[in-house]
Amino acid sequence: MAGLFVSLEGIDGSGKSTQGRLLAEALRRAGHTVTLTREPGGSPGAEEIRRLVLEGHVDRWSPETEILLFTAARRDHLERTIRPALDRGEIVITDRFADSTRIFQGITRGDLTDMVDRLHVLMIGVEPDLTLLFDLDPSLGLARATARAGTELRFEDMGLSFQERARAGFLALAARHARFRVIDAAGDAETVADRVRSVLAPHLPRR
Ligand code: TMP
């Protein structure tokens, strides 16, 4: 694939969606063509699956069923949005990708790592060029995430220890893969945006 594929990861409330918007705006101002997208979602079919997985009771789906639903959404997102944009040579910024499944379904409620990895190889098979991990104290993240109005609280309802396991899992994943950059997500949005821009600068295609 041509283009540059960047994923944003982190616990709930880590600020990655705000940072994704700020980054996309900055890159567009600099003359790049950017597709800013998100998971679960990012294509019409995947947005429908988003409602199924993010709304409703905590026990609505087992972790195994979630793996299938998130992977189905990701496959559609990849086919309809990500791959076409990369083929056009664009910078694709996705707010979450496969690392979220590795963490939220793979390790936070028992060890389903093998199942997640095998399904990823079978159905997705690509990794981002660069993954920005927004690292934040989970109690700050959870307070931010639950303060947001809305009905998409199924994962926030899983509680603080769930988010703590997720944070530790993300940091461990980052230590194992060279594509990760860990960004300190504490501080105001502009300060964090500066950190993001300096991390990304060496990877940008020349204009
Ligand atoms: P968001 O709040 O960043 O939009 O993410 C929605 C929730 O979905 C978040 O709590 C994490 C969860 N999630 C998973 O559990 N597995 C996944 O594969 C993805 C993409 C998200």
Side-chain angles (χ1 to χ4, degrees):
M1 291 188 283
L4 181 70
F5 184 21
V6 181
S7 66
L8 313 181
E9 297 282 2
I11 57 168
D12 292 315
S14 58
K16 63 190 167 35
S17 308
T18 304
Q19 292 303 324
R21 273 194 301 278
L22 293 174
L23 180 60
E25 282 165 17
L27 292 173
R28 285 177 186 136
R29 273 199 304 276
H32 297 280
T33 306
V34 179
T35 289
L36 176 62
T37 185
R38 69 167 180 183
E39 289 203 355
S43 62
E47 289 289 333
E48 289 193 35
I49 298 174
R50 180 181 178 98
R51 280 194 293 279
L52 294 177
V53 282
L54 297 193
E55 296 181 14
H57 193 266
V58 176
D59 296 328
R60 184 176 186 185
W61 310 106
S62 71
E64 289 83 352
T65 313
E66 280 175 18
I67 294 171
L68 295 168
L69 289 168
F70 280 111
T71 306
R74 180 161 307 125
R75 174 78 196 206
D76 194 62
H77 185 210
L78 187 64
E79 287 176 7
R80 316 260 172 158
T81 304
I82 297 175
R83 211 182 278 279
L86 290 175
D87 287 344
R88 292 192 299 270
E90 297 180 10
I91 299 175
V92 173
I93 303 170
T94 182
D95 184 341
R96 299 196 183 282
F97 193 65
D99 296 315
S100 282
T101 310
R102 292 188 175 105
I103 299 305
F104 290 107
Q105 283 67 47
I107 64 159
T108 46
R109 287 163 291 166
D111 184 8
L112 296 177
T113 303
D114 189 48
M115 192 183 291
V116 171
D117 287 344
R118 282 159 64 185
L119 199 59
H120 179 78
V121 168
L122 197 64
M123 285 295 149
I124 309 296
V126 295
E127 300 295 349
D129 299 306
L130 199 64
T131 298
L132 309 183
L133 172 58
F134 291 86
D135 182 53
L136 187 69
D137 179 338
S139 52
L140 291 177
L142 202 56
R144 268 198 218 165
T146 46
R148 281 198 291 254
T151 52
E152 291 183 344
L153 286 171
R154 205 177 139 248
F155 283 87
E156 285 79 354
D157 286 346
M158 293 184 194
L160 187 59
S161 68
F162 177 88
Q163 299 293 337
E164 278 166 351
R165 281 195 295 282
R167 182 198 202 182
F170 272 125
L171 288 171
L173 203 58
R176 287 204 302 278
H177 298 284
R179 67 183 158 84
F180 272 89
R181 301 289 179 277
V182 179
I183 302 210
D184 176 3
D188 60 79
E190 256 321 306
T191 308
V192 180
D194 277 343
R195 294 177 190 141
V196 171
R197 284 192 292 268
S198 51
V199 162
L200 203 71
H203 302 274
L204 292 176
R206 223 167 275 177
R207 300 287 324 144

